[in-house]
Amino acid sequence: KNEVEQSPQNLTAQEGEFITINCSYSVGISALHWLQQHPGGGIVSLFMLSSGKKKHGRLIATINIQEKHSSLHITASHPRDSAVYICAVRNTGNQFYFGTGTSLTVIP
Amino acid sequence: EAGVTQFPSHSVIEKGQTVTLRCDPISGHDNLYWYRRVMGKEIKFLLHFVKESKQDESGMPNNRFLAERTGGTYSTLKVQPAELEDSGVYFCASSQGAGGRADTQYFGPGTRLTVL
């Protein structure tokens, strides 16, 4: 079993829809990252969280340390949001674990 | 400011050959990480440098993999001899590492390694 589980694995949405991607982890962490990878592109770090909530434009990331769960929300989704979203955690020993990613397709 | 760069972008070699991947981190970043994504699997941590020292190499799969960071600048990852299961995308990332916001990792574009 992977230390980081993401759901769903694949997601198709209509433009304008509100999107949620979930991440659960089983290790004690010092930080959680949400990453984005566009088709054929490199990996971009969206958020680094250790508690609470962060917002950047239409993207919102939340984390619940007690429940070992984080969510990435996209409001008013757009086709350019189509990408693979990866959840990664850094444990207290500074090791990193990655989820398998959620492939998002936003249809115009 | 230049981001993390990796070379080559794609390498195709035969089983048994040697390949060396290079990563140039963002200037001034003491922390450098190597990761690997094997086809269909999640990204796996390989190792972490702080300047020229290996902070954590627990993710290195076996002794066919050798990572170096001479002088604390760029890093190389050598696979010798390469096996079929080494195929995948090798990512490098760097961070300042002073804690808090400075721990954000910046990823390179990756090197796609294909072993035939």
Side-chain angles (χ1 to χ4, degrees), chain A residues 17-31:
Chain A
E17 283 186 5
F18 180 83
I19 288 162
T20 296
I21 300 171
N22 295 299
C23 173
S24 296
Y25 53 91
S26 58
V27 297
I29 68 167
S30 54

Side-chain angles (χ1 to χ4, degrees), chain A residues 10 14 24 34 43 46 51 54-55 61 71 79 87-88 97-98 101-102 105-106:
Chain A
N10 296 285
Q14 286 293 133
S24 296
W34 280 103
I43 295 175
L46 297 175
S51 65
K54 287 190 177 180
K55 184 176 189 294
S71 293
C87 173
Y97 301 91
F98 291 78
T102 294
T105 303
V106 182

Side-chain angles (χ1 to χ4, degrees), chain B residues 34-89:
Chain B
W34 282 100
Y35 301 95
R36 175 173 76 168
R37 170 180 258 163
V38 172
M39 183 69 72
K41 300 282 184 76
E42 70 277 6
I43 298 172
K44 292 280 195 184
F45 166 81
L46 296 179
L47 89 159
H48 170 207
F49 282 100
V50 177
K51 296 186 181 178
E52 67 274 12
S53 300
K54 291 176 186 173
Q55 180 78 8
D56 180 356
E57 53 183 328
S58 60
M60 295 287 264
N62 52 60
N63 59 10
R64 294 185 293 103
F65 288 74
L66 175 64
E68 293 180 321
R69 193 183 182 194
T70 307
T73 54
Y74 70 91
S75 174
T76 58
L77 179 65
K78 180 190 285 189
V79 185
Q80 179 182 32
E83 297 290 342
L84 299 179
E85 64 264 25
D86 300 333
S87 296
V89 181

Side-chain angles (χ1 to χ4, degrees), chain A residues 6-22 34-40 46 58-60 72-86 100-108, chain B residues 37:
Chain A
Q6 283 185 239
S7 64
Q9 284 190 320
N10 296 285
L11 181 58
T12 301
Q14 286 293 133
E15 183 173 357
E17 283 186 5
F18 180 83
I19 288 162
T20 296
I21 300 171
N22 295 299
W34 280 103
L35 310 171
Q36 179 193 57
Q37 185 175 28
H38 280 104
L46 297 175
R58 294 179 295 104
L59 301 178
I60 303 166
L72 176 68
H73 305 285
I74 304 175
T75 61
S77 60
H78 190 275
R80 65 174 173 267
D81 297 327
S82 297
V84 175
Y85 292 84
I86 303 166
T100 52
T102 294
S103 179
L104 171 66
T105 303
V106 182
I107 300 169
Chain B
R37 170 180 258 163

